[in-house]
Amino acid sequence: MQERSGPMNRQDILYWLRERRPEHLEELWQRADNVRAREVGEAVHLRGLVEISNTCRRRCAYCGLGAHRSELQRYRLASEDILASASRAGKLGYGTVVLQAGEDPQLDTDELARTVETIRSRHGLAVTLSLGELGGAALRRLRDAGADRYLLRFETSDERLYAALHPDQPSLDRRLDTLRLSGELGYEVGSGVMVGLPGQSVETLADDLELFDRLELDMIGLGPYLPHPDSPLARGKVDVPATDDQAHSDEITACVMVALTRLIRPKANIPATTALATLCPQTGRELGLRCGANVIMPNLTPRAQRALYEIYPQKACLAEDEQTFHDELCRRIHALGRSVGRGRGDSPAFLARTQAKRQEVS
Ligand code: SAH
């Protein structure tokens, strides 16, 4: 029998991860939505996503930007293009821009640091970075320039699966070290996983959730795995661990992961991801927002480059005009009885974590 309230234990987590009946899942959506309302409120925070480079030296087996894609046209935005996107974010009323890229060795840290400083001073926006496994010096330099948050999904907590998916840097520990260092440098820290990767078991998803808690994450992103036809993983070229407990890459499993994440990290910021919106174009955003999510990241990458940031095919938001998409999004948020967030929308988990630390030292 399920507990109606209180913390989740491993058995509860596995129970929900294996539940597929919509009428039974209503209870989980409701519980997650109640915790969401109580802990982070009704506001849905919008983050302007700017994909600043699709150049990548890595060969992550699932990703459409990997170095194996020799035919993909590569781009790197100039500072003035990044600043123009940030200015559009400001005009649309967003409090944050997210600068995301492949692991691009030619992204100049000093130049990017100056861009971050300008975004902070000119537009007063919070800046989130998602640039892969950056070294300590670059993380520090960008933090000193005013970057507020760092996003780096650990993708799976199964070390063997992680190694199979990341042949050129197979150490999960190294990724976790980058997350820890980001926290020590004062970044608000985000991570997450893909749901339904080949070789990923339901037990592994339960491990992922437990790791979210152990890492004390402030932001957690979860989306279904969407095969990219030109990737080694989709082509069956990757030797993933065998499992008779394969997790599904469908909407139910992705939403169960969002809901359980909300129950396990009640104060975290959790996006309704573009991957979920891609899987369910009509309803994906709403589904996420109804089962625990409180953030959406509209795409503000210049249109000329947007289609080239092809981590998976048919990504949502490829064609939309930004203003039209924004108006439609606000309408959909209001239709759910929610409001559009104002200001930076810092993670309450981060505020609680840093306050606790301050009390420890004083
Ligand atoms: N280079 C950065 C940004 C990667 S893209 C980094 O490594 O952090 C951001 C996220 O997209 C990845 O962390 C991964 O979880 C997700 N992603 C990549 N390929 C995907 C796919 N085929 N299906 C679903 N999500 C994918």
Side-chain angles (χ1 to χ4, degrees):
M1 203 42 207
Q2 282 299 296
E3 289 173 54
R4 303 257 138 201
S5 59
M8 288 252 141
N9 60 34
R10 175 103 183 169
Q11 215 186 336
D12 296 329
I13 290 173
L14 287 169
Y15 169 89
W16 285 117
L17 285 171
R18 297 191 195 286
E19 178 59 76
R20 315 270 313 156
R21 292 165 297 180
E23 65 284 8
H24 288 231
L25 284 164
E26 279 303 322
E27 179 190 332
L28 179 64
W29 310 148
Q30 201 53 58
R31 279 169 66 177
D33 200 47
N34 290 345
V35 171
R36 187 272 310 151
R38 187 182 75 218
E39 302 287 344
V40 299
E42 299 304 330
V44 177
H45 299 291
L46 305 183
R47 322 299 200 192
L49 175 64
V50 191
E51 295 150 335
I52 64 174
S53 164
N54 74 344
T55 309
C56 192
R57 63 175 156 193
R58 301 280 302 260
R59 294 168 188 272
C60 305
Y62 43 83
C63 184
L65 300 186
H68 48 269
R69 296 216 47 219
S70 49
E71 76 292 0
L72 178 68
Q73 188 192 328
R74 306 287 175 165
Y75 72 86
R76 184 176 303 114
L77 295 187
S79 291
E80 51 277 21
D81 295 325
I82 302 175
L83 291 171
S85 288
S87 161
R88 283 203 300 282
K91 286 200 183 105
L92 290 166
Y94 302 167
T96 299
V97 280
V98 180
L99 308 183
Q100 191 179 79
E103 252 179 55
D104 179 358
Q106 283 169 83
L107 262 187
D108 182 324
T109 308
D110 287 322
E111 194 182 333
L112 189 57
R114 282 192 293 278
T115 308
V116 169
E117 267 163 17
T118 309
I119 294 174
R120 299 277 270 108
S121 60
R122 194 184 289 170
H123 303 291
L125 300 173
V127 177
T128 303
L129 300 176
S130 175
L131 308 171
E133 283 177 40
L134 278 192
L139 275 175
R140 214 167 265 122
R141 173 81 186 85
L142 292 162
R143 174 75 190 135
D144 289 344
D148 299 273
R149 309 179 186 137
Y150 205 81
L151 292 181
L152 179 66
R153 292 187 181 177
F154 61 78
E155 317 292 5
T156 176
S157 59
D158 176 337
E159 287 180 28
R160 275 178 57 216
L161 178 57
Y162 186 92
L165 296 177
H166 301 99
D168 42 9
Q169 190 44 264
S171 163
L172 173 62
D173 277 345
R174 182 186 146 122
R175 183 154 290 208
L176 299 182
D177 285 345
T178 306
L179 289 171
R180 262 181 227 111
L181 177 61
S182 306
E184 280 159 24
L185 292 171
Y187 282 101
E188 198 175 299
V189 182
S191 192
V193 298
M194 280 171 281
V195 178
L197 288 161
Q200 185 184 46
S201 67
V202 172
E203 291 274 351
T204 296
L205 291 181
D207 295 340
D208 295 344
L209 290 161
E210 288 171 8
L211 187 53
F212 293 162
D213 196 32
R214 279 207 301 289
L215 293 172
E216 300 186 87
L217 295 176
D218 307 312
M219 304 173 281
I220 303 168
L222 301 145
Y225 161 63
L226 303 167
H228 190 296
D230 295 336
S231 66
L233 190 60
R235 287 183 168 172
K237 298 250 165 68
V238 182
D239 196 11
V240 296
T243 175
D244 52 13
D245 187 30
Q246 174 65 46
H248 297 279
S249 59
D250 61 4
E251 126 194 14
I252 288 191
T253 315
C255 287
V256 168
M257 282 295 283
V258 170
L260 293 173
T261 299
R262 172 58 67 202
L263 296 176
I264 285 166
R265 290 291 294 159
K267 293 185 191 305
N269 277 341
I270 301 176
T273 52
T274 305
L276 186 57
T278 302
L279 187 67
C280 319
Q282 306 305 322
T283 52
R285 303 286 192 192
E286 278 86 352
L287 284 173
L289 292 177
R290 279 209 187 105
C291 64
N294 70 322
V295 169
I296 287 182
M297 294 160 64
N299 197 321
L300 297 184
T301 305
R303 293 257 224 119
Q305 284 83 18
R306 211 178 280 180
L308 297 174
Y309 199 84
E310 196 196 58
I311 47 182
Y312 44 77
Q314 253 89 57
K315 220 166 63 170
C317 301
L318 272 191
E320 277 104 342
D321 158 76
E322 287 151 10
Q323 185 69 52
T324 315
F325 178 75
H326 176 72
D327 295 342
E328 173 65 8
L329 192 59
C330 292
R331 191 191 62 69
R332 287 166 73 172
I333 290 169
H334 291 136
L336 290 174
R338 308 272 281 274
S339 59
V340 175
R342 304 212 165 274
R344 293 168 45 106
D346 289 313
S347 160
F350 172 74
L351 300 174
R353 187 164 67 76
T354 43
Q355 197 176 20
K357 213 192 265 152
R358 270 201 299 276
Q359 277 164 358
E360 247 169 54
V361 288
S362 64

